[in-house]
Amino acid sequence: MLRVMDEKIKHLFPGYFSMAMATGALSIAVHLLGAPFVSGLLLHLNTCIYVMLWVLTLIRLIKYFPRVSKDLTSHSQGPGFFTCTAATCVYGSQWAIVAHNGNISTGLWIFGILLWAVIMYTFFTAVTVRKEKPTLGEGINGAWLIAAVATQSVSVLGTLISPHMAEGREIVLFFALCMYLLGCMLYLNIITLIFYRFTFVDLKYSALTPPYWINMGAVAITTLAGSTLMLHAADWPFLTELLPFLRGFTLFFWITGTWWIPLLFILMVWRHVYHRYPLNYDPQFWGMVFPLAMYTTSTYQLSQALELPFLVMIPRIMGVIAIIAWLAVMAGFIYHQFRSFQARR
């Protein structure tokens, strides 16, 4: 049993924190849609998930540091580490929205900023200075957009904790605004490469992995970051002056995310139905659940920020889809773990 566990830690998927991201985003979504009991249960469950993932990650970091270092500086594996930052801030947002706990949220925000700085500059420095680089088709994938997700998650949590700041509220909001704009820049740069790969580079159906759903998830959390800033504009006059810009820019990202959803569903059918690619559990499937839950949350908050109540019908529908997706992937996770331990006994 210990040997099996050690093997799992050694080969731990760097992006497994997307499990905490998906659970946290779904918890916030159902809370906003009027199911506080369910959202509270998901908060407690996510606490277990988040802590366990960090325990496994720290063990892996101590015992297999060279492997972790190699993964972090890899074009293919490195982007997965941004889920550490995103999960930390989404989990912090859970505490802010679901539990109304400003102290825990603030601590997680500070931790998230530290993670963001270390992972962001380590990864992008490594892939920039590397002499031998993969081709665009081999090196770029949807997981790269988690860099934008992580950046926007810092913005969202920073805005949420600003009311709890007795001093320095304007500084926190300014930082959140800057992270929002930086996240927009990262998305626009990276999605250009991904869209180019989609349309001009041969894309095998086997390469169309679940992280490509981050194409939509990244703009969903960007929408949430912009909407959250709009909802807190009264806390800082400078934000009030920027409201016209925030409204237009945030709506731009929301419609972009909305556009992605049908295309991603079609490509998923193309992969699993037309080409009959096996639909087995893969930890990357959490990278599909998170965008669905985040789109639900962001659309609800956008409807509040823009005072467009007719938009609420969309998160009500998407919320059901997100719950079904989360349950399906969680069932796959449990079944996979059970079969894995049974096979190695």
Side-chain angles (χ1 to χ4, degrees):
M1 180 67 74
L2 290 176
R3 190 180 67 173
V4 172
M5 195 65 189
D6 189 62
E7 278 294 304
K8 284 185 171 291
I9 293 173
K10 181 179 180 180
H11 301 285
L12 184 69
F13 175 53
Y16 232 127
F17 275 91
S18 56
M19 184 180 187
M21 291 165 56
T23 305
L26 184 62
S27 173
I28 295 170
V30 296
H31 178 82
L32 294 174
L33 291 172
F37 177 73
V38 177
S39 65
L41 286 179
L42 288 172
L43 172 60
H44 294 302
L45 175 61
N46 208 26
T47 298
C48 298
I49 293 171
Y50 182 77
V51 171
M52 182 55 66
L53 285 171
W54 268 116
V55 169
L56 297 177
T57 299
L58 290 174
I59 294 173
R60 185 172 188 250
L61 190 62
I62 294 170
K63 293 190 66 175
Y64 304 105
F65 180 77
R67 191 181 188 91
V68 175
S69 178
K70 182 180 178 181
D71 285 347
L72 178 58
T73 56
S74 162
H75 276 75
S76 59
Q77 297 294 318
F81 284 89
F82 285 107
T83 60
C84 299
T85 300
T88 297
C89 291
V90 170
Y91 179 53
S93 297
Q94 264 188 287
W95 279 102
I97 296 174
V98 178
H100 306 289
N101 191 313
N103 293 329
I104 294 178
S105 299
T106 301
L108 288 167
W109 184 62
I110 295 171
F111 183 45
I113 292 173
L114 293 174
L115 288 171
W116 180 88
V118 171
I119 296 170
M120 179 68 69
Y121 290 105
T122 300
F123 171 72
F124 278 105
T125 299
V127 297
T128 299
V129 302
R130 176 174 287 121
K131 293 183 178 179
E132 296 183 3
K133 301 181 182 182
T135 63
L136 182 65
E138 297 170 341
I140 193 76
N141 58 64
W144 275 62
L145 285 169
I146 307 176
V149 173
T151 305
Q152 296 294 8
S153 71
V154 174
S155 173
V156 172
L157 184 52
T159 306
L160 290 175
I161 66 170
S162 61
H164 300 281
M165 298 289 180
E167 296 180 2
R169 180 180 300 178
E170 292 183 356
I171 296 175
V172 172
L173 287 172
F174 177 75
F175 183 76
L177 175 63
C178 290
M179 294 297 279
Y180 165 71
L181 296 172
L182 179 60
C184 294
M185 180 278 292
L186 289 170
Y187 179 82
L188 292 172
N189 282 341
I190 296 171
I191 198 61
T192 302
L193 298 175
I194 292 175
F195 199 79
Y196 177 82
R197 185 193 180 192
F198 265 34
T199 53
F200 291 100
V201 178
D202 184 30
L203 182 65
K204 304 292 185 182
Y205 64 88
S206 57
L208 193 67
T209 52
Y212 275 111
W213 276 84
I214 302 296
N215 293 5
M216 182 271 284
V219 276
I221 195 170
T222 299
T223 301
L224 179 61
S227 300
T228 307
L229 284 167
M230 284 188 276
L231 291 170
H232 288 76
D235 295 338
W236 187 27
F238 184 66
L239 281 180
T240 304
E241 295 177 15
L242 289 178
L243 273 177
F245 165 76
L246 289 173
R247 286 180 180 134
F249 208 38
T250 301
L251 185 60
F252 161 76
F253 281 104
W254 177 80
I255 194 57
T256 302
T258 304
W259 178 85
W260 271 113
I261 295 174
L263 179 60
L264 291 169
F265 270 115
I266 292 169
L267 292 175
M268 191 175 178
V269 171
W270 173 70
R271 187 189 196 214
H272 295 288
V273 178
Y274 182 78
H275 287 288
R276 299 181 181 180
Y277 193 85
L279 193 62
N280 299 322
Y281 172 78
D282 187 318
Q284 294 184 101
F285 272 112
W286 292 110
M288 182 186 73
V289 179
F290 168 75
L292 293 172
M294 182 51 66
Y295 181 81
T296 303
T297 300
S298 64
T299 304
Y300 184 91
Q301 292 294 70
L302 181 70
S303 71
Q304 304 301 305
L306 297 182
E307 298 181 355
L308 299 175
F310 58 83
L311 285 178
V312 176
M313 63 177 289
I314 298 176
R316 286 175 180 166
I317 296 171
M318 290 299 298
V320 174
I321 297 174
I323 291 170
I324 293 172
W326 185 88
L327 289 172
V329 177
M330 180 58 77
F333 167 76
I334 295 171
Y335 180 73
H336 175 76
Q337 299 305 318
F338 176 75
R339 288 294 300 271
S340 179
F341 279 111
Q342 285 290 101
R344 300 191 184 188
R345 285 182 62 179

